[in-house]
Amino acid sequence: MFGLSELAILLIVVIAVLAAKKLPELTRSAGKSARILKAEARAMKDEERSPAQDRDAPRVVRGETVRREDAGGTGGGGGGGPAPGDRDLPRG
């Protein structure tokens, strides 16, 4: 009936027909991934080439400080629920 090579060719044709709509999207995402990988590799090489004193220097990360207010002022914070400012923080 059919040999292995005929079945393989038939399978490739069926996959190509069914995946024709997704093929441009897949190649685009593969290109983006390759660019990201190349940029990360370049950044790692640049980091290796930089002097040791630059790598040991502390980095300053600017952000926002979030303060928690104690509900009862006891310092233990052992109440039942979150503090008033905690509603925006992720729970974990």
Side-chain angles (χ1 to χ4, degrees):
M1 184 151 168
F2 286 114
L4 186 60
S5 61
E6 288 87 3
L7 286 175
I9 291 171
L10 183 65
L11 182 65
I12 290 172
V13 169
V14 168
I15 289 173
V17 168
L18 294 178
K21 292 180 182 179
K22 294 284 184 177
L23 194 58
E25 182 181 328
L26 291 173
T27 55
R28 194 175 304 121
S29 66
K32 284 181 183 180
S33 299
R35 281 191 294 263
I36 291 171
L37 181 64
K38 188 176 180 181
E40 290 295 327
R42 188 179 301 134
M44 287 181 66
K45 283 183 182 179
D46 290 344
E47 187 176 302
E48 289 175 359
R49 291 182 191 156
S50 69
Q53 62 187 3
D54 289 344
R55 277 188 272 150
D56 294 335
R59 286 194 239 172
V60 176
V61 178
R62 299 199 184 267
E64 182 179 331
T65 305
V66 178
R67 294 191 128 159
R68 293 185 181 186
E69 301 286 325
D70 287 341
T74 59
D86 285 351
R87 67 175 165 244
D88 294 333
L89 297 176
R91 297 181 187 260

